[in-house]
Amino acid sequence: MTAMARLEATSELQSRLSSLSFSSFPGITSKQCDSGPPGRLHSTNLSESFTQSSNQANMNETKEGTAHLSKGNEEAPTELALGEGGENNSSAGSCQPSAEIKEATQMPPLPPPTTWTSAAVKELKAKLRTEKDSVVTVYRGDIMTVHVPTVPEAKRVCWEFATDGYDIGFGIYFDCTPVTSRSITVHISESSDDEDEEEELEGPLSNEDVEKGSKSNTNSNLAEILPVYRQDSHLSVQGGSHDFPGEGTYLLKFDNSYSLWRNKTLYYRVYYSA
């Protein structure tokens, strides 16, 4: 057979094959052929199943994460509330003793004293010269403090004083510590920063200019009634009174700490009034 004959035979065979239909083969239906090859269908089903499974797993993980996050958010306020409660309890526990201490040591409000002056300097000096311990010398750099306890039979404390030649600082404080002695006592200190044991009880007086008034003390039981100011006690009698604010001890300070050279002769008296 020649090449030409082979080519013609091949063309004829192709024409016959192309003209064939599914009805020429009894075991095959168009429905089965439309379904496609079994292997391809199986592969496609596995891919879709895997994709669906992956998507489902991702959705489940997302739901679980969302639920966990929601649960965490729900628990977070509870923990915060507990934390705030703990802080409040701790704060309340730490503040309560301070409040109690503050109430225990809080001074009652003290009214200002009643003060007055008199020109009868000579008369007062003449009278006090006849009384014991009513004329004293306050040396340069010293502070003399007169401790006057409150007494049940009186309602107020009164004072009068004068000096020779020069002025002197004067101020009043009140110590609310319970009274242990009714005696009026005098204490001398060489400076406001170097008090003896009794002066430590009342608290140190600041080393400020007496002309501007002293700023007061570290003792929480000590209240200032009248700051220490320089008084013209050499020109007029300086007097005054103060009603008892309660049980305690008055501290009348005669301050000559600002004087470097001059001692001061002081005439004074302290008494009670009903």
Side-chain angles (χ1 to χ4, degrees), residues 128-229:
L128 294 181
R129 286 191 184 100
T130 63
E131 298 182 6
K132 182 181 180 181
D133 299 328
S134 292
V135 182
V136 296
T137 300
V138 183
Y139 293 95
R140 57 187 178 86
D142 284 358
I143 300 173
M144 186 182 84
T145 304
V146 183
H147 292 235
V148 185
T150 58
V151 293
E153 56 271 18
K155 294 183 178 180
R156 68 182 60 88
V157 62
C158 305
W159 60 88
E160 293 177 309
F161 67 92
T163 52
D164 283 341
Y166 304 97
D167 62 11
I168 195 169
F170 178 73
I172 308 171
Y173 299 83
F174 186 79
D175 187 348
C176 67
T177 304
V179 174
T180 57
S181 173
R182 291 191 178 186
S183 301
I184 296 177
T185 57
V186 177
H187 303 276
I188 305 295
S189 60
E190 293 183 356
S191 71
S192 59
D193 295 327
D194 189 20
E195 301 284 349
D196 53 18
E197 294 181 358
E198 293 82 359
E199 194 69 15
E200 288 177 2
L201 176 64
E202 69 199 43
L205 189 65
S206 64
N207 231 353
E208 300 186 7
D209 189 349
V210 179
E211 291 182 346
K212 298 179 180 179
S214 63
K215 304 300 180 184
S216 194
N217 309 284
T218 58
N219 191 334
S220 61
N221 291 333
L222 196 66
E224 184 179 77
I225 297 175
L226 180 68
V228 175
Y229 285 100

Side-chain angles (χ1 to χ4, degrees), residues 18 42 44 56 61-62 73 91-92 100 104 111 121 125 128 161 175 186-187 191 240 245 251 255 268:
S18 60
H42 186 264
T44 303
Q56 185 65 30
E61 290 177 357
T62 303
N73 291 336
S91 176
E100 292 177 356
V121 177
K125 291 180 179 180
L128 294 181
F161 67 92
D175 187 348
V186 177
H187 303 276
S191 71
L251 308 176
D255 190 339
Y268 80 98

